[in-house]
């Protein structure tokens, strides 16, 4: 089969479909090109996009499968320069949470944190230009000059926040120090609940902490 000259060229169509909220169409557009990709990084990214799009559609089992495939291909790569491997674990965690698999959800969140810390340790510095799950939530990617394929990822993973979000309102009136204190406290609660086997309580505490990013 003929290989694509430019691995990300098909993302033009996918991005247009995402902008039209045609997530099924975007998934089909990406998946019909996956077999043309050779680089494990490009294959992993394609499945990562599909995972987030299936999550938007509420197709959680399909999303979990896509995230798992992304994790598999990412495992073949030591360090990915443009993005963190924590994204695929956090994406799968969210989809597992929606299926009621709270143990799987919290285990994936813990793996995501471990992966990110290892990446930072290997680079010896925090790379602010690297896309990770935290800056997806924060929206800091808007300040980055991204490749086409990463623009697709940002659009696919974008979280639509509720108009009436009490935590979002609270964040506006507290200091950064207070935010850090709240996040730290919730992480401690999550750890303590994990140790006693309360996986639902553990993942809920972490998901709540993420709202303060």
């Amino acid at each position: 089969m003929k290989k694509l000259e430019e691995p990300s060229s098909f993302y033009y169509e996918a991005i247009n479909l995402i902008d039209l909220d045609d997530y099924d169409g975007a998934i089909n557009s990406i998946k019909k090109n996956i077999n043309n990709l050779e680089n494990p990084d490009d294959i992993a990214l394609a499945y990562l996009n599909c995972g987030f799009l299936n999550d938007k559609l509420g197709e959680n089992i399909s999303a979990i499968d896509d995230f798992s495939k992304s994790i598999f291909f990412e495992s073949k790569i030591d360090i990915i320069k443009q993005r963190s491997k924590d994204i695929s674990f956090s994406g799968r965690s969210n989809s597992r949470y929606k299926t009621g698999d709270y143990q799987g959800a919290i285990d994936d969140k813990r793996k995501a944190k471990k992966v990110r810390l290892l990446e930072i340790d290997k680079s010896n510095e925090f790379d602010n230009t690297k896309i990770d799950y935290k800056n997806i939530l924060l929206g800091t990617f808007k300040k980055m000059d991204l490749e086409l394929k990463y623009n697709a990822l940002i659009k696919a993973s974008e979280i639509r926040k509720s108009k009436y979000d009490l935590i979002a309102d609270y964040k506006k009136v507290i200091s950064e120090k207070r935010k850090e204190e709240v996040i730290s406290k919730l992480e401690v609660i999550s750890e303590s609940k994990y140790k006693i086997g309360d996986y639902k309580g553990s993942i809920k505490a972490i998901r709540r902490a993420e709202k303060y990013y």
Side-chain angles (χ1 to χ4, degrees):
M1 185 177 291
K2 185 180 179 181
K3 302 298 179 183
L4 292 174
E5 292 182 10
E6 171 50 56
S8 64
S9 61
F10 61 87
Y11 281 114
Y12 282 110
E13 180 182 31
I15 288 173
N16 287 334
L17 291 167
I18 293 170
D19 286 339
L20 294 171
D21 293 337
D22 183 1
Y23 304 136
D24 274 317
I27 291 169
N28 291 334
S29 176
I30 295 170
K31 287 200 170 180
K32 72 183 181 184
N33 287 287
I34 285 180
N35 289 337
N36 294 332
L37 302 174
E38 294 180 312
N39 189 326
D41 183 7
D42 289 323
I43 298 171
L45 181 59
Y47 279 117
L48 187 58
N49 274 288
C50 292
F52 281 114
L53 291 169
N54 268 312
D55 187 75
K56 285 179 182 289
L57 288 168
E59 298 291 340
N60 304 122
I61 300 302
S62 294
I64 290 168
D65 183 59
D66 286 329
F67 287 126
S68 296
K69 287 175 179 173
S70 181
I71 289 166
F72 170 76
F73 284 103
E74 286 180 347
S75 71
K76 299 176 181 291
I77 310 165
D78 183 24
I79 291 287
I80 302 174
K81 291 183 179 179
Q82 294 91 343
R83 71 177 188 280
S84 170
K85 294 180 183 180
D86 81 324
I87 301 173
S88 52
F89 281 107
S90 286
R92 189 170 70 176
S93 173
N94 291 338
S95 294
R96 281 180 163 169
Y97 180 85
K98 293 172 184 177
T99 67
D101 178 10
Y102 302 119
Q103 182 174 359
I106 187 58
D107 283 343
D108 273 344
K109 279 294 183 186
R110 291 164 70 89
K111 288 175 185 174
K113 183 176 181 180
K114 183 177 180 181
V115 162
R116 190 68 187 109
L117 290 174
L118 284 172
E119 289 173 341
I120 293 170
D121 184 58
K122 283 187 178 183
S123 67
N124 294 318
E125 62 181 6
F126 186 83
D127 185 355
N128 288 314
T129 65
K130 191 180 188 115
I131 303 170
D132 66 1
Y133 192 70
K134 183 176 181 179
N135 62 34
I136 280 177
L137 292 178
L138 289 170
T140 53
F141 47 79
K142 293 176 182 176
K143 301 174 185 177
M144 300 178 189
D145 184 17
L146 299 173
E147 295 177 56
L148 179 66
K149 60 185 179 181
Y150 286 108
N151 280 324
L153 174 63
I154 296 309
K155 286 180 177 290
S157 61
E158 188 174 17
I159 298 170
R160 292 181 178 176
K161 294 180 172 62
S162 169
K163 184 177 179 181
Y164 304 103
D165 189 332
L166 295 177
I167 291 179
D169 290 339
Y170 181 51
K171 280 170 58 179
K172 296 175 183 177
V173 297
I174 61 174
S175 66
E176 289 300 319
K177 181 180 179 181
R178 178 56 182 155
K179 289 177 191 175
E180 291 173 5
E181 289 172 350
V182 173
I183 290 170
S184 179
K185 182 178 180 180
L186 287 168
E187 288 177 343
V188 169
I189 291 171
S190 176
E191 182 66 23
S192 65
K193 288 185 179 294
Y194 186 88
K195 288 179 178 177
I196 63 172
D198 180 5
Y199 303 118
K200 184 177 182 179
S202 183
I203 185 60
K204 280 194 167 185
I206 285 296
R207 287 170 65 87
R208 188 174 180 82
E210 287 179 344
K211 292 185 177 182
Y212 285 90
Y213 288 162

